[in-house]
Amino acid sequence: ELGNLKNNYAYYRDSKKRFWIANEHKGIQLIETGDTSHFKTIYKPKENFLPQSISEDKEGNIWVATGSGLLRFSEMGFKIFEVPALTKKNILFNILQPPSGPLLINNGSLTLQAFENNSFTNRNLHRKSKALLPNNELIIDNYAFDNKGRYWYNLRGFSLVMKYGNIVYEQTNQLSLLG
C-alpha cells in the first residue's frame, strides 16, 4: 500500500516508528508500528490542502505544513494554525526541528518562525555581505543539522547555504572544488 501513493503527498516516520502520510485528497493518515497496509485517517482535508512537510517536535507532537494551515497533532487531539496569521503568506514550505532550539517553520521568505512558549515568533535571517542569495525568498528544499549547531539548507534555484545564528552564508565558492 505504501508503494501505491499518488498525487501530492508528504510522509514521515516518527520516534514511535509510525508512518504519517499527508495526501492532498485523503488528508492525514497514520500507519501504526509494524503495519504496512492499514491506513487510519486522522484528519480529513478541507480545500487547499497541499501537504508540504511533516516533522516531529521534541515533545512528540507531529506537525504538518499544508497549503491552508499548520496542523499540530498530540495525544490530546489536534490544533490548526492559520497560515496568513502566522506568516502573512498563504503557504508553508518546511517544518524544521533542530536538535537544539525551537521548532521552525519556513514560508519561503527570509524570516523563519520559531515555536516557543506556545506561540510563534519571527527569526529574521541576515545574509553575509556579498552573498549571492536571493533578496526576497528562501525556499528550503532539503536541510540538515550538524553537531556544531549549524543548519544546512539546499535552496531552490540556488545552492547550499549554512545558517549559524541568524546569519546565512552561501557555500557555492567553498564547494566549487568538489565538481
Side-chain angles (χ1 to χ4, degrees), residues 82-136:
E82 298 294 327
V83 174
L86 288 176
T87 68
K88 311 290 187 275
K89 284 193 163 190
N90 290 327
I91 195 164
L92 295 176
F93 289 103
N94 306 97
I95 308 167
L96 318 167
Q97 178 58 72
S100 61
L103 182 92
L104 303 170
I105 59 173
N106 167 249
N107 69 350
S109 72
L110 292 173
T111 301
L112 298 175
Q113 282 75 30
F115 189 70
E116 300 176 290
N117 302 319
N118 215 26
S119 67
F120 286 94
T121 57
N122 287 341
R123 295 276 178 96
N124 294 325
L125 300 177
H126 307 282
R127 296 180 304 152
K128 185 173 187 255
S129 62
K130 299 181 185 176
L132 299 174
L133 298 173
N135 290 321
N136 60 351

Side-chain angles (χ1 to χ4, degrees), residues 20-178:
W20 292 81
I21 296 129
N23 179 286
E24 64 181 318
H25 299 296
K26 296 181 180 180
I28 299 173
Q29 297 175 307
L30 175 68
I31 300 176
E32 294 292 344
T33 305
D35 196 349
T36 59
S37 60
H38 297 97
F39 290 81
K40 178 180 169 184
T41 300
I42 304 296
Y43 177 79
K44 285 281 196 185
K46 295 180 182 180
E47 61 186 48
N48 297 329
F49 186 78
L50 184 62
Q52 297 294 320
S53 68
I54 305 173
S55 190
E56 181 176 10
D57 67 18
K58 295 174 185 172
E59 287 79 37
N61 298 311
I62 301 297
W63 295 80
V64 180
T66 75
S68 59
L70 179 67
L71 295 100
R72 180 182 63 191
F73 294 90
S74 67
E75 298 298 326
M76 305 287 281
F78 70 92
K79 179 175 180 171
I80 299 171
F81 297 87
E82 298 294 327
V83 174
L86 288 176
T87 68
K88 311 290 187 275
K89 284 193 163 190
N90 290 327
I91 195 164
L92 295 176
F93 289 103
N94 306 97
I95 308 167
L96 318 167
Q97 178 58 72
S100 61
L103 182 92
L104 303 170
I105 59 173
N106 167 249
N107 69 350
S109 72
L110 292 173
T111 301
L112 298 175
Q113 282 75 30
F115 189 70
E116 300 176 290
N117 302 319
N118 215 26
S119 67
F120 286 94
T121 57
N122 287 341
R123 295 276 178 96
N124 294 325
L125 300 177
H126 307 282
R127 296 180 304 152
K128 185 173 187 255
S129 62
K130 299 181 185 176
L132 299 174
L133 298 173
N135 290 321
N136 60 351
E137 73 176 13
L138 182 90
I139 299 174
I140 301 168
D141 283 329
N142 295 295
Y143 61 90
F145 309 108
D146 69 19
N147 60 357
K148 295 181 181 177
R150 299 176 298 191
Y151 303 5
W152 295 86
Y153 304 138
N154 175 12
L155 299 184
R156 183 169 301 165
F158 286 90
S159 63
L160 181 68
V161 299
M162 176 188 68
K163 178 175 118 19
Y164 192 64
N166 286 335
I167 307 293
V168 178
Y169 301 89
E170 192 253 343
Q171 300 294 306
T172 301
N173 293 335
Q174 293 88 336
L175 298 175
S176 63
L177 297 174
L178 298 176

